[in-house]
Amino acid sequence: MKITKENVGFGLAELLIFAENTTIFSFLVLFLKSEGFSGSQTGIIMSLTMTACLIAQPIAGFICDKLFDIRKVVIVNMVVSMLAIGMIYFLPSKFSYVFACFLVYSMFGRYLPGLMDVYITKMSIKKSGLDYGFVRGMGSFGYASFALVIGWMISAFGYNLLFISHTVFAVLSIISLLRLPPLYPDKKNSRAKDEGFFAVISKLTKNKLYMFTVISILIIYCGFNGYGAYLPLYLDKLGGGSESFGTCVFVMAMSEIPILWNFYKINRKFSAEKLLIISMFAGILKITLPLFTSSIIVVIAIQCLQALSTGLFIPSVILFLRKLVPESQLSVGILLAASLYGGGSVIISNLVSGILIEQSGIKFTFACCSAAAIIGSLLLLAVIKMYYTAKNNGKTIG
């Protein structure tokens, strides 16, 4: 962990952006339930808004790779998302209004942590002193701390607090971003610069190792996200409320921080591929063990496995993707992957999990989530073996 002016500046921006993010999506299911929306309406909002995010995310990556300073793109997106969420506070609580506002937010704001990942990753290539693990750990700290605080404050003051908190964190995020250095597209590679969006997408989809990796992680994330989306309802069923879920999110996010802050040391001893294997095993345990307990305290304690399942997984995936994709396609490659395995899995898992919960109950749903994570992990192991085979045979990757 390297504490420098650059790391602190990026870390503060990351902390505030993750705090902004947690005010909305950590409590979205509970907020919609409090407004009287049905399970099917909640599933529609979460799935269709994620579809919009899935489409918008790689387009934002292309804009950053080819057209504009990535920092300015993040700021503009933050302003639009702040206005969209703020409108929910003033508009009547009708399905069409709430859906429209969350749709706009998903097109501009939902993937900002992912866009920051690209910003930090590309900046770290130019500035060797920038420590991705430290900066991403600050994001987890912001997510954890404010999830805990907001969870307890909602219990005392109600869900309107979400919109006030979001506006405050959005404004502070913009101020912190303005203090960071710009990152313009690489103009040296004119041929790459002239490539259109669909040409870049076409090259990525023809990259077999890249696509197999994305598909494998998509299946894993179907399990992880199906579990995560309905964990608040499971805790609610066990007798917990928003404060219990806030505590749960706090435990999950805080557990990531030691791993992320020391990731560069861990990565010196273990390759990204080996760390992916460890994180997958931990993730499977995290979503399987709650099936065998009805204690809120035990369920929350199990979430400490997030330290490995996410603390190792996120940076390891980015490092592995960097090995598969050329730098001229890196922003699009990372954000397309995130939109497919992150967004696609949310769409699939929310729809399927919603149906399974209504028909077979939440424990059966969690068992299916665990099975999906196991299948995806086995496929990713096969992809990693393919990567090593190609590397040892001297084949060009990416």
Side-chain angles (χ1 to χ4, degrees), residues 99-377:
F99 172 72
C101 290
F102 276 119
L103 183 67
V104 173
Y105 177 77
S106 294
M107 293 174 66
F108 289 90
R110 183 163 187 168
Y111 55 83
L112 285 181
L115 200 55
M116 282 298 293
D117 273 344
V118 175
Y119 185 18
I120 299 161
T121 300
K122 297 189 78 170
M123 188 62 78
S124 66
I125 296 173
K126 299 179 181 294
K127 296 179 180 291
S128 59
L130 188 60
D131 185 344
Y132 173 86
F134 173 79
V135 175
R136 182 58 179 76
M138 289 295 290
S140 293
F141 179 75
Y143 198 91
S145 302
F146 291 105
L148 178 65
V149 172
I150 292 171
W152 285 94
M153 291 182 71
I154 285 172
S155 298
F157 303 107
Y159 284 94
N160 284 338
L161 182 72
L162 291 180
F163 307 107
I164 299 171
S165 301
H166 181 269
T167 301
V168 171
F169 289 129
V171 171
L172 293 175
S173 297
I174 292 168
I175 294 172
S176 67
L177 286 163
L178 289 171
R179 299 174 63 86
L180 297 181
L183 182 61
Y184 294 97
D186 183 8
K187 295 183 179 181
K188 293 181 181 179
N189 192 339
S190 59
R191 184 172 178 270
K193 184 175 184 295
D194 292 336
E195 285 181 334
F197 174 71
F198 292 105
V200 175
I201 295 294
S202 177
K203 285 188 176 181
L204 288 170
T205 54
K206 291 176 182 177
N207 184 332
K208 292 182 180 179
L209 279 175
Y210 171 82
M211 288 306 300
F212 287 155
T213 300
V214 171
I215 292 169
S216 301
I217 299 175
L218 184 150
I219 297 172
I220 294 171
Y221 265 48
C222 280
F224 288 1
N225 286 331
Y227 168 83
Y230 291 96
L231 180 58
L233 296 183
Y234 186 55
L235 291 171
D236 187 59
K237 181 181 178 182
L238 296 179
S242 61
E243 68 278 6
S244 295
F245 184 61
T247 303
C248 188
V249 173
F250 174 80
V251 169
M252 287 192 288
M254 285 297 289
S255 67
E256 300 173 9
I257 295 172
I259 296 293
L260 288 167
W261 281 357
N262 292 284
F263 181 78
Y264 78 99
K265 293 181 180 178
I266 298 171
N267 189 221
R268 286 177 183 175
K269 297 182 178 180
F270 303 98
S271 66
E273 300 81 60
K274 291 179 180 178
L275 295 178
L276 278 175
I277 294 170
I278 295 170
S279 65
M280 287 185 294
F281 179 71
I284 291 168
L285 287 177
K286 189 186 78 170
I287 66 176
T288 303
L289 292 178
L291 293 170
F292 304 99
T293 181
S294 58
S295 168
I296 295 176
I297 295 175
V298 174
V299 171
I300 292 174
I302 290 170
Q303 306 316 305
C304 289
L305 287 166
Q306 182 96 353
L308 300 177
S309 67
T310 301
L312 285 182
F313 193 82
I314 291 175
S316 299
V317 166
I318 291 176
L319 287 178
F320 189 52
L321 290 175
R322 278 179 59 180
K323 297 178 180 181
L324 306 180
V325 178
E327 187 178 348
S328 63
Q329 303 167 7
L330 190 59
S331 295
V332 180
I334 291 176
L335 289 175
L336 176 64
S339 66
L340 290 175
Y341 68 66
S345 66
V346 169
I347 295 169
I348 296 168
S349 62
N350 281 337
L351 289 174
V352 175
S353 295
I355 294 170
L356 289 175
I357 285 174
E358 289 183 0
Q359 294 184 350
S360 305
I362 196 163
K363 282 203 169 185
F364 178 79
T365 302
F366 280 4
C368 292
C369 291
S370 178
I374 292 170
I375 293 170
S377 297

Side-chain angles (χ1 to χ4, degrees), residues 84-102:
I85 293 300
M87 290 297 292
I88 299 176
Y89 182 81
F90 297 102
L91 292 173
S93 183
K94 292 185 179 180
F95 174 78
S96 57
Y97 294 151
V98 173
F99 172 72
C101 290
F102 276 119

